[in-house]
């Protein structure tokens, strides 16, 4: 009997060890804002051997990964990747929206009930209070409290959309230091304080943006940075104001230096948290914002944008080498993807949508229909917020007012589709544009009307020549590479919904899918 118990214990021990070995030590989730699926293949001949190329060679590349909603943006995509559901469920529709009861703007991350950590009083009062569903990191922490989950991005919106309830850090452009808030931690870790005080970021501020390659290697033919020595074959465009060097660190957001800053800080987080050092899987989320910023300001067909992609790949290769120096490749799960694509540059003012002008015209139209008054509260990210307080006070039917505005809005140049909140709440759009707009619609926050622009059109924004935020393929189609942890090299051409990433991670690390996710896992990874 005693011998039998020993055998049973040995069998149990072997089974437990196998189960533990069947999970990665660490999941590294790298989300790059503003890069489309075709860009990595377009510039692949100039990429390094150790970044995108190596991760792709060692894992699965999904060529047809897309977001199935209309309002594609950095923060919406980040939340979708980590929650496994669309904005219609996770509620991250924009950086801000209008409260219908007060007509006041609500900021997605501002929270007056918390205070900033590692910064001056009044700064970084941010939290994830408006992300209404759990992330895959939240699920991991709930099931394995000893697991370490950390998130960082220079942009606090991106960081918070990615992080959920995990320890989350963002960059303070005024001071060049990494911050957090009391929503996540009680005080800044000692190692991060020392890093902030070391002067490393000040060294980055002095860095010059010089091209990584010889000019004849670049495919694009537009440039605007006067420090570049270019041939006469390149078309010169005006220098955007945001690219001018400022006294603080804000101008770095529009240069590849921001990529280096983020990956350097990620190394500190990796070391400071002892990522992957125990038997519980850890998660490190890294948000890269610079490519989105550079694309918006310089244009997607600019030398600056192309150069930033090469620099991202080089920084990624360096970070991969850093992590793999600590652990074997089959113990790390890598995800590299994008929160949103970005359309072609548009410097044609006649093909831009002006939301301020649109708001004035719509209010004038309603004033002739309903009587003089303030009928429009705001127009934010192609969402029209009616003044419901005035509409209800006047005894008007909200759906009727929405329909009037929708019919009138369709007469504007540049608008391709309009759906009202009432239509989306009362109906089901199973196909085409209606489904994508409805998947972006969160009833408590979205506008009374949601607009979609014609292909190639963008909103009028100071210094910006490109953007995302439509249902078209250039905004929804993004790269997706899942590598390491013994995943076989393969190129998968099946259509993939980006909501599938979180439940796939959940299956691999053994915690199941996030609560709100209904998307299937990426079953191709699990075929024997």
């Amino acid at each position: 009997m005693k011998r039998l118990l020993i055998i049973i214990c040995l069998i149990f021990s072997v089974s437990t060890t196998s189960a533990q070995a069947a999970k990665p030590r660490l999941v590294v989730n790298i989300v790059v804002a503003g890069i489309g699926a075709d860009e990595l293949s377009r510039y692949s001949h100039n990429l390094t051997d150790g970044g995108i190329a190596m991760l792709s060679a060692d894992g699965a590349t999904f060529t047809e990964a897309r977001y199935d909603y209309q309002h594609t943006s950095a923060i919406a995509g980040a939340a979708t990747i980590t929650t496994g559901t669309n904005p219609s469920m996770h509620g991250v529709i924009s950086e801000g929206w209008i409260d219908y009861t007060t007509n006041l703007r609500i900021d997605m991350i501002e929270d007056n009930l918390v205070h900033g950590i590692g910064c001056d009083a009044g700064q970084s009062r941010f939290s994830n209070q408006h992300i209404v569903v759990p992330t895959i990191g939240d699920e991991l922490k709930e099931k394995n409290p000893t697991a370490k989950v950390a998130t960082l991005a220079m942009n606090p919106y991106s960081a918070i959309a990615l992080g959920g309830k995990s320890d989350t850090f963002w960059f303070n452009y005024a001071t060049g230091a990494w911050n957090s808030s009391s929503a996540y931690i009680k005080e800044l870790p000692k190692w991060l304080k020392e890093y902030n005080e070391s002067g490393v970021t000040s060294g980055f501020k002095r860095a010059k943006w010089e091209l990584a390659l010889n000019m004849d290697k670049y495919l694009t033919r537009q440039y605007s940075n006067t420090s570049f020595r270019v041939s006469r074959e390149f078309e010169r465009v005006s220098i955007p104001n945001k690219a001018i060097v400022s006294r603080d660190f804000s101008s770095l957001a529009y240069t590849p230096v921001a990529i280096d800053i983020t990956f350097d800080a990620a190394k500190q987080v990796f070391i400071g948290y002892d990522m992957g050092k125990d038997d519980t899987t850890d998660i490190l989320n890294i948000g890269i914002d610079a490519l989105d910023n550079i694309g918006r300001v310089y244009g997607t067909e600019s030398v600056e944008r192309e150069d930033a992609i090469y620099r991202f790949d080089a920084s990624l290769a360096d970070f991969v080498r850093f992590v793999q120096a600590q652990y074997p490749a089959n113990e790390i799960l890598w995800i590299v993807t994008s929160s949103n694509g970005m359309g072609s540059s548009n410097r044609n003012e006649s093909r831009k949508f002006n939301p301020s002008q649109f708001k004035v015209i719509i209010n004038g139209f309603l004033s002739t229909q309903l009587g003089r008054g303030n009928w429009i509260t705001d127009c934010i990210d192609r969402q029209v917020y009616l003044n419901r307080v005035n509409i209800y006070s006047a005894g008007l039917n909200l759906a009727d007012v929405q329909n009037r505005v929708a019919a009138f809005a369709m007469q504007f140049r540049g608008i391709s589709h309009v759906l009202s909140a009432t239509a989306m709440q009362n109906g089901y759009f199973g196909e085409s544009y209606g489904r994508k707009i409805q998947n972006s619609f969160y009833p408590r926050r979205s506008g009374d009307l949601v607009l979609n622009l014609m292909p190639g059109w963008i909103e009028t924004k100071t210094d910006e020549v490109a953007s995302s935020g439509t249902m078209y393929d250039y905004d929804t189609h993004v790269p997706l590479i899942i590598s390491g942890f013994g995943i076989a090299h393969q190129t998968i051409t099946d259509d993939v919904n980006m909501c599938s990433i979180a439940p796939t991670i959940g299956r691999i690390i053994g915690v199941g899918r996030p609560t709100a996710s209904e998307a299937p896992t990426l079953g191709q990874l699990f075929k024997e």
Side-chain angles (χ1 to χ4, degrees):
M1 182 67 180
K2 184 176 181 181
R3 184 178 179 184
L4 178 61
L5 288 173
I6 292 173
I7 293 172
I8 292 173
C9 289
L10 286 172
I11 293 173
F12 179 79
S13 176
V14 171
S15 300
T16 303
T17 302
S18 299
Q20 290 172 348
K23 299 176 186 178
R25 285 182 175 272
L26 174 65
V27 177
V28 182
N29 181 31
I30 300 173
V31 180
V32 187
I35 188 168
D38 62 331
E39 290 187 276
L40 293 183
S41 58
R42 184 189 311 161
Y43 302 127
S44 61
H45 63 292
N46 281 332
L47 299 181
T48 68
D49 294 331
I52 293 296
M54 189 190 76
L55 292 176
S56 181
D58 291 345
T61 300
F62 296 83
T63 63
E64 303 299 326
R66 289 176 173 83
Y67 292 98
D68 191 30
Y69 53 81
Q70 175 246 2
H71 191 66
T72 44
S73 66
I75 55 173
T80 295
I81 290 167
T82 55
T83 65
T85 189
N86 288 316
S88 58
M89 185 68 73
H90 61 59
V92 182
I93 60 165
S94 178
E95 291 186 1
W97 53 85
I98 299 300
D99 184 320
Y100 286 117
T101 61
T102 63
N103 285 338
L104 297 177
R105 183 183 174 101
I106 304 298
D107 189 277
M108 192 198 92
I109 64 174
E110 286 185 358
D111 186 350
N112 291 330
L113 298 179
V114 304
H115 61 271
I117 301 291
C119 56
D120 294 335
Q123 295 181 335
S124 289
R125 301 182 70 179
F126 305 146
S127 81
N128 68 321
Q129 64 169 328
H130 292 304
I131 301 178
V132 296
V133 298
T135 66
I136 187 62
D138 296 338
E139 298 287 358
L140 173 61
K141 289 286 288 184
E142 182 176 342
K143 293 180 174 62
N144 299 303
T146 60
K148 297 178 283 289
V149 180
T151 302
L152 77 159
M154 291 191 73
N155 186 325
Y157 290 92
S158 298
I160 288 170
L162 272 176
K165 299 176 182 178
S166 68
D167 291 2
T168 302
F169 305 95
W170 50 87
F171 193 73
N172 187 324
Y173 287 105
T175 63
W178 287 90
N179 295 173
S180 188
S181 83
S182 58
Y184 305 99
I185 57 178
K186 294 180 179 179
E187 62 179 348
L188 217 58
K190 180 182 178 182
W191 49 265
L192 189 52
K193 286 182 182 178
E194 293 174 350
Y195 180 71
N196 281 339
E197 295 168 358
S198 69
V200 170
T201 52
S202 295
F204 281 118
K205 186 179 179 181
R206 293 190 292 271
K208 293 182 179 180
W209 184 357
E210 297 175 345
L211 291 185
L213 307 174
N214 293 330
M215 280 302 300
D216 59 358
K217 298 287 187 181
Y218 291 81
L219 299 182
T220 48
R221 286 294 179 268
Q222 288 185 341
Y223 78 98
S224 55
N225 191 320
T226 54
S227 69
F228 293 168
R229 295 182 178 180
V230 298
S231 69
R232 295 180 180 178
E233 298 176 358
F234 287 78
E235 178 186 353
R236 176 70 186 277
V237 296
S238 60
I239 302 174
N241 291 333
K242 286 182 179 178
I244 297 174
V245 175
S246 58
R247 293 184 178 181
D248 60 16
F249 291 79
S250 59
S251 62
L252 294 184
Y254 302 89
T255 75
V257 177
I259 301 172
D260 298 330
I261 292 174
T262 304
F263 275 120
D264 195 66
K267 293 177 182 178
Q268 306 305 312
V269 172
F270 177 89
I271 296 170
Y273 279 93
D274 283 333
M275 288 280 182
K277 288 292 179 68
D278 53 30
D279 293 330
T280 302
T281 300
D282 299 327
I283 295 178
L284 175 59
N285 296 309
I286 305 171
I288 304 294
D289 308 299
L291 288 174
D292 191 74
N293 296 333
I294 291 168
R296 290 173 183 275
V297 171
Y298 289 103
T300 48
E301 301 87 3
S302 65
V303 175
E304 289 89 343
R305 165 80 167 192
E306 182 179 349
D307 186 66
I309 291 173
Y310 299 147
R311 289 182 173 276
F312 160 71
D313 183 59
S315 294
L316 172 63
D318 175 73
F319 186 73
V320 171
R321 286 192 297 270
F322 169 81
V323 174
Q324 291 187 344
Q326 323 294 322
Y327 304 112
N330 63 356
E331 295 184 354
I332 308 297
L333 179 69
W334 296 88
I335 297 97
V336 179
T337 188
S338 176
S339 55
N340 58 290
M342 186 171 291
S344 300
S345 305
N346 178 5
R347 292 180 169 85
N348 184 351
E349 294 301 322
S350 66
R351 296 179 68 246
K352 292 183 179 180
F353 173 75
N354 189 321
S356 298
Q357 185 182 68
F358 178 81
K359 175 184 171 182
V360 172
I361 294 173
I362 291 296
N363 195 71
F365 163 74
L366 287 179
S367 291
T368 61
Q369 296 272 310
L370 310 175
R372 190 170 182 177
N374 180 19
W375 301 108
I376 304 293
T377 302
D378 212 337
C379 182
I380 303 173
D381 289 338
R382 298 161 302 285
Q383 298 181 89
V384 181
Y385 291 86
L386 300 177
N387 190 330
R388 294 191 183 186
V389 174
N390 287 354
I391 289 172
Y392 291 139
S393 296
L396 299 170
N397 181 279
L398 178 63
D400 176 63
V401 178
Q402 289 175 345
N403 289 334
R404 292 191 193 195
V405 176
F408 185 70
M410 283 301 300
Q411 302 177 46
F412 277 74
R413 290 178 64 252
I415 294 179
S416 63
H417 302 88
V418 182
L419 280 181
S420 71
T422 299
M424 285 185 282
Q425 287 178 279
N426 296 337
Y428 171 69
F429 298 87
E431 295 296 334
S432 190
Y433 77 92
R435 183 189 72 245
K436 290 183 178 181
I437 295 179
Q438 196 169 42
N439 283 346
S440 293
F441 180 77
Y442 189 76
R444 296 175 62 123
R445 299 173 184 174
S446 295
D448 287 278
L449 296 112
V450 179
L451 316 175
N452 190 67
L453 302 181
M454 292 283 189
W457 280 66
I458 63 174
E459 276 195 33
T460 300
K461 292 185 178 180
T462 304
D463 296 326
E464 293 191 5
V465 296
S467 70
S468 55
T470 71
M471 64 181 70
Y472 304 116
D473 204 58
Y474 51 75
D475 282 346
T476 60
H477 188 194
V478 294
L480 174 58
I481 298 170
I482 301 180
S483 183
F485 192 55
I487 293 175
H489 169 64
Q490 53 190 311
T491 299
I492 298 169
T493 59
D494 299 342
D495 289 338
V496 166
N497 187 324
M498 290 294 287
C499 291
S500 292
I501 295 176
T504 299
I505 295 173
R507 177 173 172 179
I508 291 174
I509 66 177
V511 298
R513 64 176 57 250
T515 302
S517 174
E518 298 179 353
T521 60
L522 298 172
Q524 302 92 333
L525 297 179
F526 306 103
K527 292 179 180 178
E528 296 182 357

